[in-house]
Amino acid sequence: MSDAYDYFRAHAIAAVRKARALPPGRPKQKQRTVARVYHLLSREAALAPNVHHLDDFRAARRLERQIGR
């Protein structure tokens, strides 16, 4: 397995746990979407790691920071 796979998978697990802790509503839905993005990135990184995943990862991180506000 690649390091990118492990990194994205760890973020996906953390995002799912964060979503489970949120009360029902829009922020929870957004956090679950972020978790799905991380999960998809981990699956793609497992098949063929490349630098294009970083842009998607950064976009997901920005969205996750906005949810926390």
Side-chain angles (χ1 to χ4, degrees):
M1 284 183 222
S2 70
D3 292 334
Y5 168 79
D6 296 330
Y7 188 72
F8 291 142
R9 180 131 173 98
H11 278 284
I13 291 169
V16 167
R17 288 181 180 157
K18 185 176 176 183
R20 286 180 180 162
L22 291 172
R26 188 76 173 144
K28 184 173 187 157
Q29 290 174 349
K30 287 183 179 180
Q31 186 64 38
R32 286 178 49 117
T33 302
V34 168
R36 281 189 217 117
V37 169
Y38 288 146
H39 180 69
L40 289 172
L41 287 172
S42 71
R43 289 176 57 192
E44 288 181 6
L47 297 175
N50 60 34
V51 296
H52 300 297
H53 299 308
L54 294 177
D55 295 333
D56 298 330
F57 176 73
R58 289 182 185 123
R61 291 291 288 179
R62 278 194 301 270
L63 177 61
E64 191 171 17
R65 280 190 224 112
Q66 289 176 357
I67 294 169
R69 293 181 188 171

